[in-house]
Amino acid sequence: MTAFENLMAFQHTTEALSMVAERLGWDQETVMPRGATEQRSEEMAAMEGVLHARRTDPRLADWLANAEAPDAAGARAISLIRHSFLRSAAVPATLAEEIARTTSLAQGIWAEARAKNDVAHFLPTLKRVVALRREEGEAMAAAGVGGGDTYDALIDGYEPGASAASLAAMFSAMRPRLVALREAVLGAPTPKALSRNFDAEGQLALARRAATAFGYDWTRGRLDLAVHPFSSGGVNDSRITTRVVENEPFNCLYSTIHEVGHSSYELAIDAAHHFTPLGHGVSMGVHESQSRIYENQLGRSRAFTSWLFTQMQAQFGDIGLADADAFYAAVNAVRPGYIRTEADELQYNLHVMLRFDLERAMIGGSLEVEDIEEAWNTRFLADFGFAVDKPAHGVLQDVHWSVGAIGYFATYSLGNVYAGCLNRAMRQALPDLDASLAEGSARPAAAWLRENVQRYGSLLTPTEVITNACGHAPTEEPLLDYLEGKFRELYAL
């Protein structure tokens, strides 16, 4: 076998094992008995030890030095394996295993703290997670990852090519127009909201119909419940989760549609890339572009909500809203709120900016973990104009820090920016899209995204994917123009 063949055969097994590890994480968040948490943490640490050993295997260096790519896809695969080798080799195996062990335990501790609104119960664990991730970031930065910056090295694991500086510049460009539009909208009359309970069984049935409307492949996916919705897996097994709050059915519906976007991306990748470095989404920003465009530009559109209104009535009877226009207004209502995942499109990015600044400060050492609740509450009051009422609505609401996903949050807004660009290009390519959406079919949009974004997997860089699909480099303008057009029309501004 050639060096390239040896490299790809070795990587095939590494990719398969990483999927097994991911499945363990899915199991922990969905069906694992609560008493198994400590056992699972040891299992996850053991798996991470095996994976880290493979990602730093000395043979990789020899194969990478001698591999000759047969084509562009092969060259890209070599580049990605080389980068993974650089990142992994910089991190001691003991550290990689300890991060896996600690974050596995931390998920359960976070869930308990969130349920009890007890920040003190979580802080020692969070301090440990932050310290471990900082140590990891420092090790990678010393090897040249992220341009030598600790936080940028962590960002690199989620959005290659991005940096704290570039993301901060994006936020600076977005904030003025978002804040001005929010002030105008909040000064207008608020649409009528749903005001009754909707049973869990009915919500899940409707969520399944919505997923089907987007073409979700139920032969290769499934829907389960989790504390914090997520998707998991790839190749031919990509699963989604949602959560049910009986007086907030949009939470279940739009969490499901959001995760369908993630899962559909993984399931659409060209089969030739399976079990290679190209066989999964290229970055979390591009991944979020798929979930956010499914959820918002498509799922919250006037056309799709007109169909969803009929489905709500069929499932639950009278829902207290007079017509499809009132339902569209309720789905897209801009109201003060604490929860990022439940935030309207207009305010969502402001939630992300808060988290980005706080975690950057924690990693940089200018914010002590013990002070995170006070810092969160102070910043939230300044940004949103009202005080956090309880930790579950504040610093304990997100799972990301407990699982060690530091450097991740900004990719949500980057995904929104990418989605804004993709939506404009898609609408130009599919002028009759709204007619399909009004009939309960988002399949034409899903097919366009599959063809222009999803099938490539990691063959192209994040910027190349968006530029290739849209005909121009990513920019904030299409998203901001879309938001202003939608909410000025909705609120008659």
Side-chain angles (χ1 to χ4, degrees):
M1 294 176 66
T2 66
F4 178 79
E5 290 170 339
N6 280 319
L7 183 66
M8 298 308 292
F10 188 84
Q11 186 68 24
H12 183 284
T13 301
T14 303
E15 296 284 343
L17 287 170
S18 70
M19 292 178 187
V20 173
E22 189 171 1
R23 198 75 32 73
L24 286 173
W26 170 88
D27 177 86
Q28 180 172 354
E29 292 298 305
T30 55
V31 297
M32 186 191 79
R34 288 180 60 190
T37 299
E38 290 189 9
Q39 175 182 331
R40 181 54 48 85
S41 73
E42 292 301 320
E43 293 168 355
M44 295 292 280
M47 282 297 299
E48 181 57 33
V50 171
L51 286 167
H52 189 271
R54 293 188 66 84
R55 291 170 181 149
T56 59
D57 191 299
R59 289 174 294 176
L60 286 173
D62 292 334
W63 291 329
L64 286 167
N66 295 293
E68 295 183 4
D71 51 25
R76 173 67 170 160
I78 291 172
S79 175
L80 290 171
I81 295 172
R82 181 176 288 112
H83 187 64
S84 173
F85 182 70
L86 174 65
R87 287 177 57 88
S88 299
V91 179
T94 53
L95 175 59
E97 292 174 28
E98 183 59 24
I99 290 171
R101 179 182 292 108
T102 299
T103 54
S104 180
L105 283 171
Q107 292 177 60
I109 296 170
W110 162 78
E112 291 173 359
R114 182 177 182 272
K116 298 175 182 178
N117 281 295
D118 185 357
V119 177
H121 182 62
F122 180 54
L123 283 181
T125 301
L126 177 60
K127 186 172 183 177
R128 179 64 175 157
V129 170
V130 170
L132 288 169
R133 289 288 276 154
R134 183 188 294 122
E135 184 179 352
E136 179 190 38
E138 289 171 348
M140 292 188 295
V145 178
D149 179 84
T150 299
Y151 188 55
D152 286 352
L154 296 176
I155 291 172
D156 177 81
Y158 304 106
E159 193 66 25
S163 67
S166 67
L167 294 168
M170 176 186 75
F171 286 135
S172 294
M174 296 171 68
R175 183 184 284 274
R177 288 176 67 179
L178 289 175
V179 171
L181 181 58
R182 182 183 64 174
E183 290 178 356
V185 167
L186 290 178
T190 302
K192 183 179 180 181
L194 296 174
S195 58
R196 52 163 283 196
N197 284 354
F198 299 83
D199 65 89
E201 184 178 342
Q203 287 193 41
L204 289 172
L206 187 56
R208 288 180 176 277
R209 288 205 293 276
T212 300
F214 280 83
Y216 186 58
D217 186 350
W218 292 106
T219 69
R220 298 189 291 158
R222 56 179 288 141
L223 175 65
D224 294 274
L225 294 174
V227 174
H228 190 106
F230 68 97
S231 66
S232 176
V235 183
N236 291 311
D237 183 354
S238 181
R239 310 174 186 193
I240 60 175
T241 64
T242 192
R243 62 183 171 204
V244 173
V245 181
E246 291 203 345
N247 65 346
E248 297 177 0
F250 296 154
N251 191 323
C252 176
L253 282 171
Y254 285 99
S255 290
T256 301
I257 294 172
H258 179 101
E259 301 306 336
V260 166
H262 280 305
S263 189
S264 295
Y265 184 6
E266 292 295 325
L267 293 174
I269 294 172
D270 190 324
H273 302 328
H274 289 173
F275 298 103
T276 78
L278 312 183
H280 38 76
V282 65
S283 74
M284 288 314 305
V286 177
H287 239 300
E288 288 301 330
S289 77
Q290 301 308 283
S291 61
R292 296 296 286 175
I293 199 170
Y294 274 51
E295 176 188 355
N296 294 322
Q297 284 93 340
L298 298 171
R300 297 183 192 272
S301 67
R302 186 181 292 276
F304 188 76
T305 56
S306 69
W307 172 80
L308 194 55
F309 174 64
T310 66
Q311 300 303 302
M312 286 281 288
Q313 288 182 313
Q315 184 68 49
F316 299 110
D318 182 9
I319 63 172
L321 296 174
D323 54 29
D325 286 341
F327 184 79
Y328 171 67
V331 166
N332 291 285
V334 177
R335 293 186 176 88
Y338 302 104
I339 308 298
R340 174 188 58 84
T341 58
E342 299 169 11
D344 55 82
E345 292 177 82
L346 178 51
Q347 299 187 93
Y348 183 92
N349 294 300
L350 298 175
H351 287 270
V352 175
M353 293 176 195
L354 179 154
R355 290 154 174 78
F356 170 74
D357 288 340
L358 292 182
E359 70 174 23
R360 188 181 181 187
M362 282 196 295
I363 291 296
S366 61
L367 173 62
E368 297 296 332
V369 172
E370 292 86 349
D371 300 324
I372 186 63
E373 183 181 20
E374 180 182 355
W376 180 295
N377 292 348
T378 299
R379 173 66 181 270
F380 188 90
L381 179 61
D383 281 6
F384 293 92
F386 58 100
V388 173
D389 62 343
K390 58 183 179 180
H393 287 165
V395 72
L396 292 180
Q397 68 177 267
D398 293 302
V399 72
H400 301 67
W401 288 341
S402 71
V403 300
I406 297 173
Y408 185 118
F409 274 119
T411 65
Y412 285 118
S413 287
L414 191 57
N416 283 333
V417 167
Y418 290 163
C421 298
L422 292 168
N423 182 59
R424 177 179 287 180
M426 180 177 64
R427 293 282 179 171
Q428 292 172 347
L430 303 174
D432 298 325
L433 177 57
D434 279 342
S436 295
L437 292 172
E439 294 175 357
S441 175
R443 290 173 183 265
W448 188 89
L449 290 166
R450 187 164 54 247
E451 174 65 22
N452 289 280
V453 177
Q454 297 170 358
R455 68 185 177 94
Y456 293 107
S458 294
L459 179 63
L460 305 176
T461 68
T463 299
E464 287 171 345
V465 169
I466 303 305
T467 301
N468 186 58
C470 301
H472 61 79
T475 172
E476 302 88 3
E477 295 303 315
L479 173 66
L480 296 172
D481 290 347
Y482 156 78
L483 291 173
E484 289 189 342
K486 177 175 184 174
F487 286 99
R488 289 192 180 281
E489 184 270 334
L490 179 59
Y491 281 85
L493 298 177

